[in-house]
Amino acid sequence: MSKPVLTINGLSVGFGRGDAIEQVTHQVSLSVKKGETLALVGESGSGKSVTANSILKLLPKGSSHYMEGNIDFDGVDMLSCSERQLRGIRGGRIGMIFQEPMVSLNPLHKIGKQLVETLSIHRGVRQKKAESIAIEWLGKVGIRHPEIKVNAYPHELSGGERQRVMIAMALINEPELLVADEPTTALDVSVQAQILDLLKELQQELGMAMLFITHDLSIVRRIADRVAVMQDGKLVEQGECHALFHAPKHPYTKLLIDSDPRGEPVPVQSESQNILKVNNLRVWFPITGGIFKRVVSHVKAVTDMGFELKKGQSIGLVGESGSGKSTTGMAILKLVRSEGSISYEGQELQGLDRNAMLPYRSKMQVVFQDPFSALNPRMSVAQVIGEGLRVHQQLDEQEMERMIVEVMEEVDLDPASRHRYPNEFSGGQRQRIAIARALILKPEFILLDEPTSSLDRTVQAQVLDLLKSLQSKYGLSYLFISHDLNVVKSLCHYTIVMKQGQIVEQGDTHTLFSQPKHAYTQELVSLSSF
């Protein structure tokens, strides 16, 4: 048996100053061997990232306290290391991939410079040699035209490319241990699969140990040798991956496994009428050039989109980033300019001015992917939820208060919390606030743009159940944009698959998922079945 590269023994971490220190992890013990992948799983706030960041002492100085325990990396006690020793290990012997590459990459420096810098610091490689190694590693992590992309800035790359750059940066010094903190959460299923395959391939090549932090159990099944489950700062279960999934012992592990999206869409009444009809929808953004800024070409975001949505029906819109899903939704709500026909309850919306559109604004609502960005942090929850009422209806304060309380109860939020602010709520609660804001206007159609992708599995399941119960009660129609096919399968009656702005396949969800015809749909379905 090989000796562990990393051993965490009885680690307890707290935050605060003086006597007001709150303990957030409790005697966490785990180890990772050479060539092994240990997945650390649990919901937001369970202590996964705190544990991972403790390894390299990356927690905020002054407010973080290592209360007890020790972290041993290849015979080095990390918690008693000097800053100089740590600098030699960080990025050199231990690589780290963070969840959000745009936060981790310097926006002012080209990709090549950032890769060269890490080689220079940790291996003392000269400029010319470092540049060729940087290009080699960009190619290794699957970036096309690495000799061109090495001169790009982070904002000039796609989300998948930026994440690949982060992987190259973490692995370029060939570390003995890689700590990957939610490295694929925000990525499409196809890009996610490529990144996971790449990590496994590079791990075998380098014989590297890997601590992989995630809340997505489908990723754990795909990549992990062993699994450690965290809840409320404590490790509640550890075991070999296959055994843990097939015979979980702790109730919390069972809950996580049972929270995968399941169930059937809400039945649609056979006599339901069409509520929305889209025909030949086109969104092309002009590219101008020359002195006179003439249109020289177009970015073809959406081309010839068409579908019909019935009352009480859900249509899923799936595809990778940049496929045109969100642009289609924004065009239907007339938030971006488009050509073609958008008919709502028989009324053509194209050509309507702002005043003529106002009655339809209350009937057509939207819930976005990131509720924290979509909710005004300076407004109380009552003000956020009641904002639409103030625009669309003339009500006295008492009546408005009654409706806000009513809709909060409808989405399982405590009305007593209506005077608090969005930052005082969890991610799942904030998404319920966003749903309440859309629901209070009693809409008939709601555009749901990735409303569950940033949520933990258990919270995601709760939000999906809520959306189904509201649809069943009020006959709501949903256009559901997602890259998670399991969620689409659970909610949507009909599915449209998009790629590069065009429909590649569409049909009844069950048929489309069980008998996909197009190669791209087949790829998406096979990747979602882990």
Side-chain angles (χ1 to χ4, degrees):
M1 288 291 285
S2 62
K3 180 170 160 278
V5 175
L6 174 77
T7 303
I8 299 176
N9 200 1
L11 180 69
S12 297
V13 177
F15 290 99
R17 295 181 188 277
D19 296 329
I21 295 173
E22 182 186 355
Q23 191 171 337
V24 292
T25 68
H26 305 262
Q27 297 190 324
V28 174
S29 296
L30 53 85
S31 63
V32 197
K33 296 188 182 79
K34 183 178 179 179
E36 179 187 51
T37 299
L38 173 69
L40 189 57
V41 304
E43 295 175 296
S44 297
S46 62
K48 308 186 300 292
S49 294
V50 169
T51 302
N53 284 319
S54 297
I55 296 166
L56 288 169
K57 290 180 78 174
L58 294 174
L59 297 173
K61 285 178 185 162
S63 62
S64 57
H65 303 271
Y66 303 98
M67 300 165 77
E68 61 178 324
N70 66 288
I71 300 171
D72 181 285
F73 170 67
D74 195 27
V76 178
D77 183 357
M78 298 297 286
L79 295 184
S80 61
C81 256
S82 68
E83 195 60 37
R84 188 177 175 184
Q85 281 177 294
L86 278 172
R87 277 200 300 271
I89 295 171
R90 286 178 187 145
R93 299 182 65 195
I94 300 179
M96 192 144 188
I97 307 171
F98 297 97
Q99 182 172 353
E100 183 41 73
M102 266 313 258
V103 175
S104 307
L105 296 171
N106 190 326
L108 303 176
H109 291 162
K110 291 178 180 177
I111 297 304
K113 182 177 180 183
Q114 298 185 55
L115 289 167
V116 166
E117 190 177 38
T118 187
L119 280 167
S120 169
I121 290 169
H122 293 287
R123 284 166 57 183
V125 180
R126 289 173 183 263
Q127 180 80 14
K128 198 91 175 160
K129 175 74 172 164
E131 284 172 4
S132 72
I133 294 173
I135 291 169
E136 181 192 336
W137 267 95
L138 288 178
K140 253 185 184 180
V141 298
I143 287 181
R144 292 177 197 162
H145 312 298
E147 64 288 343
I148 296 169
K149 293 291 172 72
V150 78
N151 292 313
Y153 289 95
H155 72 270
E156 295 176 303
L157 304 178
S158 71
E161 285 175 325
R162 285 195 293 264
Q163 199 60 284
R164 287 166 191 266
V165 169
M166 280 293 299
I167 291 170
M169 198 172 286
L171 297 183
I172 201 165
N173 289 307
E174 302 186 2
E176 296 147 64
L177 170 68
L178 177 69
V179 181
D181 190 357
E182 301 269 15
T184 60
T185 299
L187 301 178
D188 302 316
V189 65
S190 52
V191 180
Q192 190 180 80
Q194 292 163 17
I195 296 287
L196 294 176
D197 289 345
L198 171 67
L199 284 172
K200 285 300 276 183
E201 189 183 311
L202 293 171
Q203 181 185 31
Q204 286 169 2
E205 187 183 316
L206 301 173
M208 176 179 69
M210 182 155 62
L211 178 62
F212 196 99
I213 296 149
T214 185
H215 65 253
D216 190 334
L217 297 186
S218 60
I219 291 175
V220 175
R221 287 187 183 99
R222 189 184 180 109
I223 202 166
D225 299 305
R226 287 189 305 115
V227 184
V229 183
M230 284 193 82
Q231 182 191 25
D232 298 331
K234 296 173 187 167
L235 269 180
V236 295
E237 187 166 356
Q238 286 192 67
E240 187 269 323
C241 187
H242 181 81
L244 187 131
F245 274 103
H246 284 83
K249 294 181 174 64
H250 196 277
Y252 179 67
T253 312
K254 291 174 185 172
L255 175 68
L256 285 180
I257 292 169
D258 291 340
S259 294
D260 278 346
R262 56 188 58 194
E264 296 295 318
V266 172
V268 182
Q269 293 179 356
S270 54
E271 68 277 8
S272 281
Q273 301 294 309
N274 279 345
I275 193 169
L276 177 69
K277 188 172 181 181
V278 175
N279 205 13
N280 294 325
L281 185 70
R282 180 178 289 190
V283 183
W284 286 14
F285 298 108
I287 299 170
T288 57
I291 299 168
F292 300 106
K293 300 291 181 188
R294 289 198 177 100
V295 175
V296 293
S297 185
H298 288 86
V299 174
K300 298 176 181 180
V302 178
T303 303
D304 299 332
M305 165 61 73
F307 62 87
E308 295 179 1
L309 177 66
K310 290 189 167 103
K311 185 173 173 59
Q313 185 188 26
S314 299
I315 290 182
L317 209 51
V318 304
E320 61 197 5
S321 290
S323 61
K325 307 186 300 292
S326 294
T327 305
T328 299
M330 295 300 104
I332 289 165
L333 294 177
K334 291 201 69 188
L335 297 175
V336 296
R337 293 183 64 171
S338 63
E339 296 173 14
S341 171
I342 303 166
S343 172
Y344 188 84
E345 293 182 327
Q347 168 66 54
E348 179 57 56
L349 301 185
Q350 297 281 39
L352 294 185
D353 62 20
R354 189 177 174 183
N355 287 337
M357 267 300 293
L358 206 56
Y360 295 97
R361 292 274 178 231
S362 60
K363 293 180 179 183
M364 305 168 76
Q365 288 291 298
V366 60
V367 176
F368 293 104
Q369 176 177 357
D370 182 4
F372 199 64
S373 300
L375 305 177
N376 189 330
R378 295 177 180 172
M379 293 168 73
S380 69
V381 165
Q383 289 170 323
V384 167
I385 293 172
E387 192 177 10
L389 286 177
R390 291 182 180 87
V391 174
H392 293 283
Q393 297 179 28
Q394 303 300 315
L395 301 171
D396 60 41
E397 286 300 318
Q398 203 172 351
E399 177 63 10
M400 194 177 287
E401 191 84 351
R402 184 192 66 75
M403 289 180 74
I404 290 166
V405 167
E406 203 173 85
V407 80
M408 285 185 76
E409 287 173 341
E410 191 93 71
V411 299
D412 295 328
L413 284 170
D414 181 5
S417 66
R418 66 187 180 279
H419 303 300
R420 289 160 57 193
Y421 289 84
N423 68 315
E424 298 176 65
F425 293 83
S426 69
Q429 287 172 321
R430 286 197 291 263
Q431 202 57 288
R432 288 172 188 270
I433 292 165
I435 293 168
R437 178 174 62 180
L439 204 63
I440 200 166
L441 291 166
K442 300 194 166 28
E444 301 159 334
F445 164 79
I446 301 180
L447 170 67
L448 299 160
D449 192 355
E450 301 266 19
T452 61
S453 67
S454 60
L455 303 177
D456 295 320
R457 272 292 198 244
T458 52
V459 180
Q460 185 185 76
Q462 293 163 15
V463 171
L464 278 174
D465 289 344
L466 171 64
L467 289 170
K468 285 184 183 182
S469 70
L470 293 171
Q471 184 173 42
S472 179
K473 188 173 181 180
Y474 297 112
L476 295 171
S477 302
Y478 295 143
L479 180 61
F480 188 83
I481 296 169
S482 182
H483 63 253
D484 189 332
L485 268 62
N486 292 315
V487 173
V488 171
K489 202 187 296 184
S490 169
L491 185 74
C492 299
H493 309 90
Y494 192 86
T495 300
I496 299 169
V497 183
M498 291 187 76
K499 189 175 186 185
Q500 295 174 354
Q502 294 183 301
I503 296 173
V504 295
E505 190 168 352
Q506 60 180 314
D508 166 74
T509 298
H510 180 75
T511 308
L512 188 132
F513 281 36
S514 57
Q515 300 163 20
K517 294 183 173 63
H518 193 277
Y520 179 63
T521 314
Q522 289 168 359
E523 182 193 359
L524 289 180
V525 170
S526 70
L527 291 172
S528 69
S529 60
F530 276 92

